[in-house]
Amino acid sequence: LIFVRSGCIDPEDLDTCDDTAIWALDMSTAGDDNGYGANAFPVTNSYKRLERPVFSPDGRRIAFSSYLDAEGFSGADDVATEIFTMDFDTTGLDVNDTNRMVLDRNLERITYTDMADGDPLDGILNSYPSFSADGSTIYFVSTRRAPATTVHGRAIWRVPAEGGLEPEIYFFSRFDDADPSIMPDGRVLLTSTMGFPSATLDAQEAEARARIEQENREAWEEDPINNPLYSQVELDQKAAEERRQLENFEGVMSHIYVFRAP
């Protein structure tokens, strides 16, 4: 298990707990001595910001997002996060002397994001990395500008896991797309606030019209005086109103989607 752990200059002062490092936990020791005997150890040095580490499918690489203030990575903007990878190799590990293991082993920067006019003042965020099933591709979330829009929302991008190429857009709805997770068959599970597709709204409106017409007829049969039959125009209007209520979820309510690029 890999996770991010805070480091404190002064353990008694939480305000000094700014730096973070990626740590690993040997799951065969998890729970030993109520957790105090578990074998946990760092795999990176401490930096200002490390987030969301994930293993490659073969367990030999780690991807994470970071503003990495490491030597040789000064180009990483301190108001942005980029995607990095490193080897997971415990050669030389001694739980009593972690200095024997190489930290930041084969650390590589995978994304390089340039700020553009209109980008947010707090920088571009590249985060939530996830490896493809064969480990060759990294999918991630970015607030960089997607093509053909001036709306600055998150979208799903992908880049070769070995780096060296510009990322390409993978899923883009002009709304907020996040949390990519690769399924065994290669499809991407994600969340988005893009709302319901038009085909779904059409089907929902048709179902609503049929339901409203049936409920109205049943009420009319029980009490025709107090429950007159709706006209075709009234039925259309009531069904359209239910459709508008679903349309209001767009940009507000998130849904789970499964997607594969054609």
Side-chain angles (χ1 to χ4, degrees), residues 74-114:
S74 58
D77 194 338
D78 62 358
V79 294
T81 57
E82 302 287 357
I83 303 299
F84 293 82
T85 62
M86 59 171 289
D87 288 347
F88 181 72
D89 186 344
T90 57
T91 300
L93 174 65
D94 183 335
V95 295
N96 297 314
D97 181 11
T98 56
N99 290 327
R100 292 182 56 187
M101 190 178 76
V102 176
L103 303 181
D104 298 340
R105 186 185 291 269
N106 290 332
L107 184 64
E108 295 184 17
R109 182 175 174 182
I110 302 301
T111 61
Y112 292 79
T113 310
D114 294 326

Side-chain angles (χ1 to χ4, degrees), residues 195-234:
F196 295 96
S198 296
T200 300
L201 291 172
D202 292 343
Q204 293 288 338
E205 184 175 4
E207 291 176 6
R209 192 184 191 286
R211 174 177 47 78
I212 293 169
E213 183 174 17
Q214 180 179 350
E215 291 174 349
N216 175 234
R217 179 166 294 279
E218 291 174 351
W220 174 79
E221 290 174 350
E222 291 182 3
D223 186 356
I225 296 177
N226 294 314
N227 299 293
L229 289 174
Y230 295 143
S231 67
Q232 296 300 311
V233 172
E234 289 175 319

Side-chain angles (χ1 to χ4, degrees), residues 25-32 35 38-39:
L25 170 66
D26 180 351
M27 292 300 290
S28 67
T29 68
D32 288 1
N39 178 13

Side-chain angles (χ1 to χ4, degrees), residues 114-130:
D114 294 326
M115 296 286 286
D117 291 341
D119 283 333
L121 296 178
D122 58 352
I124 301 296
L125 301 179
N126 301 284
S127 57
Y128 294 90
S130 182

